[in-house]
């Protein structure tokens, strides 16, 4: 059983597709009639379940939270089924999108006897923090951002909550995390933990009851050695987030996958973060990006599967389909001679999955009858790579399509990149193309926009008769500019010609868009007018700015924007704050008498006269 939580960060006013889906294997599909859905203790103001619409699927059931339920859909939930007389549970977490306190991860899994640190992040004053465990106050926890539990035992498994004192139920001022504990020490299983676990690859965990490897999303097999891709999940990889047929589609981005307790929850292969939207950094791959690549000198691998890219091979002392098996394969001949790298050695040979790997297409021309049998080269080809560079909204991105062919590289005109909108096919302009003995690499460019994402692009390889011989799809995402949920602009000082303001730093945990933020811009305009003036041409690196050159006794609207790197990286204006500059007034009231004075004898400027009347009026 796998739970899929769409939008693990709750935004009750802007999200209408918040749901938890239960996926069951084909052999267990009938168990959907016995599914029980409930909340784990009181994790919101309500002790019961939030209202939802339930729909029955072939694979299981979907619980769709109603938007009107607001923050009651926040918290920790558990799905249970009865199977062979035993209850089996899978748990998931839904957090608030703008919370001021956030966990490092939604669930944490540890083995019996290990030391565990539970950490929550916050910008608030830590002396206001308090902790609870399964609803009970943890004494001595006040003011702490983390708890360290040594030699952990089974009674410490459960729900940990960190919250701001006197704001226990405020949705945006609390964070929760589930701690799962495996009943055996690491690498052991059995009734008395007497058995040795197999080596589970790619983030798999050994089940303490059966000794089998439980595989994270994107992997399958008895030791989780079969690589599937970011769009596949389930113990046998039988489910996908979309119907594109592309195992590397990014459709699982933003979803949380929870396997039967005590495995816990992870993002899809290739993603990380509590909202599962951040892609793995270079050198990392897999669910939650916890796995390390072991590829050649550049250590570049696919972010979902860990397979080497750009023609690189496994680093020294690593082998396997994605270089996660230690040591080079060898065969002992029995006479001190070792034959290395034998492809037929079943112990090390990777398991082939013809539904996942690119399949070379082979055609054989008819050979005229001849008395002399001649061996002809067998043409073959494949799209070995199709990638893009992620850019800011409204900017051009570059696509790279690599096609391998034998016995010679494909012709330039046989490769194209396209996309379709409302049935209209668009061909992307080609920037450049290069070829070597067997490979042609082509570059294309297209402008991508946030309101059109994800947009599926396709690299096509056509034969001489224009028949499509191979294609590969690619879902494209753009960086969303960083926008404030609330900038909290405050006026620190105001004079007749200047205003000094301070604002909250953009925070990815409760503000919108993508970071990292490299700085800010400050804008102002006279109240009631529409023309905005940028206060500084340079990027402001801190959260305080002194606006100068203003006019006295005038009301100004002031806004702030956050910026990420690159063209188009500036977010929307924050909500404005309105402030009036002070008046110009002399230290003592002037004594003016204009009677009897000729025009030529009046030496006061109109500004001084204006200030006199303003001073007298005040």
């Amino acid at each position: 059983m796998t739970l899929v939580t769409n939008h693990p960060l709750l935004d009750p006013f802007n999200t209408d597709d918040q749901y938890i889906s239960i996926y069951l294997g084909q052999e267990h599909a009938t168990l959907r009639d016995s599914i029980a859905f409930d909340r784990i203790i009181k994790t919101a103001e309500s002790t019961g379940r939030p209202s939802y619409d339930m729909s029955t699927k072939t694979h299981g059931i979907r619980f769709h939270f109603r938007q009107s339920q607001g923050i009651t859909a926040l918290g920790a939930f558990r799905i249970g089924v009865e199977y062979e007389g035993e209850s089996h549970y899978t748990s998931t977490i839904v957090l608030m999108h703008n919370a001021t306190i956030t966990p490092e991860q939604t669930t944490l899994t540890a083995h019996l006897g290990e030391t565990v640190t539970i950490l929550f992040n916050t910008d608030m004053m830590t002396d206001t923090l308090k902790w609870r465990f399964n609803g009970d106050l943890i004494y001595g926890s006040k003011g702490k951002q983390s708890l360290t539990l040594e030699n952990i035992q089974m009674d410490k498994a459960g729900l940990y909550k960190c919250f701001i004192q006197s704001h226990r139920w405020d949705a945006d001022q609390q964070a929760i995390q589930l701690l799962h504990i495996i009943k055996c020490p690491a690498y052991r299983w059995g009734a008395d933990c007497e058995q040795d676990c197999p080596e589970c690859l790619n983030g798999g965990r050994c089940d303490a009851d059966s000794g089998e490897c439980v595989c994270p999303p994107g992997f399958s097999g008895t030791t989780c050695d079969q690589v599937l891709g970011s769009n596949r999940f389930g113990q046998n990889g039988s489910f996908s987030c979309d119907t594109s047929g592309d195992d590397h589609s990014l459709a699982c981005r933003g979803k949380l996958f929870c396997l039967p307790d005590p495995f816990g929850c992870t993002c899809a292969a290739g993603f990380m973060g509590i909202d599962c939207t951040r892609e793995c950094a270079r050198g990392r791959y897999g669910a939650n990006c916890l796995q390390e690549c072991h590829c050649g000198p550049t250590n570049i691998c696919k972010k979902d599967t860990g397979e080497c890219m750009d023609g690189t091979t496994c680093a020294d002392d690593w082998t396997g389909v994605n270089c996660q098996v230690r040591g080079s394969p060898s065969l002992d001949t029995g006479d001190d001679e070792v034959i290395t790298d034998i492809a037929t050695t079943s112990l090390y040979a990777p398991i082939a999955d013809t539904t996942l790997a690119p399949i070379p297409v082979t055609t054989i021309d008819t050979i005229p009858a001849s008395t002399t049998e001649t061996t002809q080269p067998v043409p073959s080809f494949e799209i070995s790579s199709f990638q893009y560079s992620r850019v800011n909204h409204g900017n051009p991105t570059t696509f790279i399509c690599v096609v391998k062919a034998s016995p010679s590289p494909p012709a330039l005109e046989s490769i194209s990149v396209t996309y379709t909108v409302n049935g209209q096919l668009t061909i992307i302009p080609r920037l450049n193309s290069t070829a070597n003995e067997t490979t042609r690499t082509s570059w294309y460019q297209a402008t991508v926009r946030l309101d059109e994402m994800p947009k599926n692009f396709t690299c096509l390889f056509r034969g001489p008769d224009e028949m499509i011989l191979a294609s590969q799809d690619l879902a494209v995402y753009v960086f969303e500019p960083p926008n404030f949920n609330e900038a909290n602009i405050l006026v620190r000082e105001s004079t007749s010609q200047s205003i000094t303001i301070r604002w909250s730093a953009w925070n990815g945990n409760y503000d919108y868009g993508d970071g990292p933020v490299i700085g800010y811009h400050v804008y102002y305009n006279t109240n009631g007018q529409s023309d905005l003036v940028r206060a500084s041409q340079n990027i402001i690196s801190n959260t305080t700015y002194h606006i100068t050159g203003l006019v006295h006794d005038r009301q100004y609207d002031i806004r702030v924007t956050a910026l990420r790197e690159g063209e188009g990286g500036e977010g929307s204006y924050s909500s404005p704050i309105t402030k009036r500059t002070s008046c110009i007034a002399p230290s003592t009231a002037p004594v003016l008498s204009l009677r009897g004075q000729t025009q030529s004898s009046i030496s006061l400027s109109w500004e001084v006269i204006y200030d006199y009347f303003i001073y007298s009026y005040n």
Side-chain angles (χ1 to χ4, degrees):
M1 178 171 60
T2 302
L3 301 189
V4 178
T5 303
N6 197 42
H7 300 299
L9 295 186
L10 176 68
D11 186 356
F13 306 108
N14 295 301
T15 303
D16 60 2
D17 59 343
Q18 195 98 20
Y19 62 76
I20 298 173
S21 281
I22 297 92
Y23 289 80
L24 298 168
Q26 186 66 35
E27 66 275 20
H28 301 134
T30 57
L31 296 178
R32 66 188 180 195
D33 297 329
S34 66
I35 287 176
F37 170 47
D38 212 343
R39 184 186 296 276
I40 301 177
I41 69 171
K42 184 179 179 181
T43 49
E45 291 182 356
S46 170
T47 57
R49 298 170 300 184
S51 293
Y52 57 84
D53 297 313
M54 187 177 73
S55 57
T56 302
K57 308 290 185 182
T58 302
H59 58 261
I61 291 177
R62 172 173 294 181
F63 298 98
H64 192 140
F65 295 154
R66 297 172 186 166
Q67 193 171 20
S68 60
Q69 286 301 297
I71 63 172
T72 62
L74 170 78
F77 302 95
R78 183 170 62 183
I79 307 293
V81 296
E82 292 291 330
Y83 179 61
E84 295 183 347
E86 295 185 1
S87 298
H88 299 266
Y89 296 98
T90 303
S91 307
T92 188
I93 296 284
V94 177
L95 301 172
M96 200 65 181
H97 76 98
N98 61 346
T100 56
I101 310 173
T102 57
E104 285 283 284
Q105 56 195 83
T106 53
T107 64
L108 182 61
T109 299
H111 289 272
L112 192 72
E114 292 182 337
T115 295
V116 174
T117 297
I118 302 173
L119 174 65
F120 290 97
N121 300 314
T122 183
D123 293 329
M124 306 294 292
M125 296 293 291
T126 56
D127 58 2
T128 64
L129 298 181
K130 298 186 75 174
W131 290 65
R132 287 183 178 268
F133 168 57
N134 287 340
D136 297 326
L137 185 66
I138 301 177
Y139 295 100
S141 64
K142 183 179 179 181
K144 293 184 177 180
Q145 279 188 253
S146 64
L147 289 179
T148 298
L149 309 175
E150 298 181 351
N151 189 26
I152 199 164
Q153 301 299 307
M154 298 300 295
D155 61 352
K156 296 301 180 182
L159 190 75
Y160 289 81
K161 174 178 177 179
C162 183
F163 59 97
I164 297 176
Q165 191 173 0
S166 76
H167 292 273
R168 180 182 175 190
W169 299 117
D170 288 359
D172 59 347
Q173 299 192 48
Q174 61 167 303
I176 54 178
Q177 184 182 63
L178 270 174
L179 173 61
H180 297 294
I181 301 176
I182 298 175
K183 68 178 185 180
C184 289
Y187 311 115
R188 307 288 292 178
W189 74 278
D192 298 316
C193 304
E194 73 281 6
Q195 302 289 329
D196 291 327
C197 285
E199 182 180 5
C200 302
L201 302 176
N202 299 305
R205 288 186 181 274
C206 174
D207 184 272
D209 293 318
S210 66
E212 298 177 350
C213 291
V214 179
C215 303
F219 301 90
S220 68
T222 55
T223 61
C224 306
D225 57 338
Q226 296 186 38
V227 297
L228 303 178
S230 57
N231 196 28
R232 299 275 293 277
F233 65 94
Q235 181 67 3
N236 298 316
S238 54
F239 301 112
S240 300
C241 289
D242 65 15
T243 58
S244 66
D246 179 9
D247 293 332
H248 304 283
S249 164
L250 304 182
C252 290
R253 181 178 186 261
K255 292 178 171 60
L256 183 68
F257 296 82
C258 302
L259 302 183
D261 300 343
F263 183 92
C265 302
T266 72
C267 303
F271 296 100
M272 61 181 291
I274 58 174
D275 61 351
C276 295
T277 60
R278 294 163 52 198
E279 295 184 8
C280 297
R282 176 173 174 171
R284 311 294 295 185
Y285 80 96
N288 283 358
C289 303
L290 295 176
Q291 308 308 309
E292 181 181 356
C293 302
H294 296 137
C295 296
T298 59
N299 202 28
I300 299 177
C301 73
K302 292 183 179 179
K303 296 179 180 181
D304 54 352
T305 63
E307 296 170 285
C308 298
M309 299 170 58
D310 299 335
T312 59
T313 57
C314 296
D316 293 342
D317 298 326
W318 294 97
T319 186
V321 65
N322 62 345
C323 307
Q324 296 302 307
V325 179
R326 289 186 178 274
S328 299
S330 62
L331 182 65
D332 190 348
T333 61
D335 56 359
D336 297 331
E337 179 184 0
V338 177
I339 304 174
T340 61
D341 296 328
I342 303 297
T344 58
T345 306
S346 61
L347 179 62
Y348 295 97
I351 300 174
D353 188 340
T354 57
T355 64
L356 303 179
I359 305 173
V361 179
T362 303
T363 61
I364 304 177
D365 294 332
T366 303
I367 303 174
S370 172
T371 55
T372 303
E373 190 173 309
T374 304
T375 301
Q376 298 289 336
V378 180
S380 64
F381 54 84
E382 65 178 12
I383 298 177
S384 60
S385 176
F386 186 32
Q387 302 176 41
Y388 77 104
S389 54
R390 193 172 177 184
V391 296
N392 293 330
H393 161 71
N395 282 270
T397 185
T398 300
F399 297 89
I400 305 176
C401 185
V402 180
V403 181
K404 289 184 179 180
S406 176
S408 60
L412 177 64
E413 60 274 9
S414 64
I415 305 171
S416 63
V417 171
T418 66
Y419 71 91
T420 303
V421 175
N422 298 325
Q424 182 65 42
L425 180 69
T426 300
I427 300 176
I428 307 301
R430 182 187 298 110
L431 294 178
N432 194 13
S433 183
T434 61
N436 56 26
E437 292 182 357
T438 60
T439 301
R440 178 174 291 280
T441 302
S442 303
W443 289 262
Y444 306 82
Q445 193 172 82
T447 299
V448 289
R449 301 184 58 82
L450 188 65
D451 53 2
E452 299 172 354
M453 293 298 108
K455 180 186 288 183
N456 288 320
F457 289 78
T458 304
C459 180
L460 298 171
F461 179 77
R462 300 177 185 270
D465 55 357
E466 291 300 307
M467 179 181 294
I468 298 176
L469 301 178
S471 67
Q472 187 168 327
D473 293 330
L474 183 65
V476 174
Y477 293 83
V478 298
F479 289 116
E480 181 180 354
N483 296 311
F484 285 106
N485 178 45
E486 183 54 62
N488 297 315
I489 304 173
L490 300 175
V491 175
R492 300 185 62 180
E493 184 181 2
S494 176
T495 70
S496 62
Q497 294 182 320
S498 67
I499 298 175
T500 301
I501 62 170
R502 186 179 185 277
W503 61 92
S504 302
W506 183 89
N507 189 315
N509 291 325
Y510 52 85
D511 289 320
Y512 303 103
D514 295 305
V517 164
I518 61 173
Y520 306 89
H521 281 320
V522 172
Y523 294 85
Y524 66 91
N525 64 290
T526 302
N527 181 253
Q529 298 184 3
S530 58
D531 293 338
L532 285 171
V533 177
R534 198 164 87 186
S536 172
Q537 295 304 309
N538 297 321
I539 296 176
I540 302 168
S541 58
N542 53 34
T543 56
T544 302
Y545 191 73
H546 184 63
I547 307 172
T548 59
L550 305 180
V551 177
H552 60 271
D553 192 36
R554 182 168 295 181
Q555 192 165 272
Y556 289 93
D557 293 336
I558 304 170
R559 298 169 173 84
V560 176
T561 62
L563 297 92
R564 60 169 285 109
E565 189 175 11
E567 185 73 22
E570 183 175 9
S572 302
Y573 301 117
S574 68
S575 299
I577 185 175
T578 302
K579 179 65 178 176
R580 182 183 294 274
T581 53
S582 59
C583 301
I584 300 176
S587 57
T588 59
V591 179
L592 295 179
S593 176
L594 303 182
R595 294 180 180 177
Q597 301 296 324
T598 64
Q599 184 175 0
S600 60
S601 65
I602 298 175
S603 59
L604 296 174
S605 68
W606 283 110
E607 184 175 359
V608 173
I609 295 172
Y610 172 81
D611 291 340
Y612 168 75
F613 283 112
I614 292 297
Y615 184 91
S616 300
Y617 176 77
N618 292 334

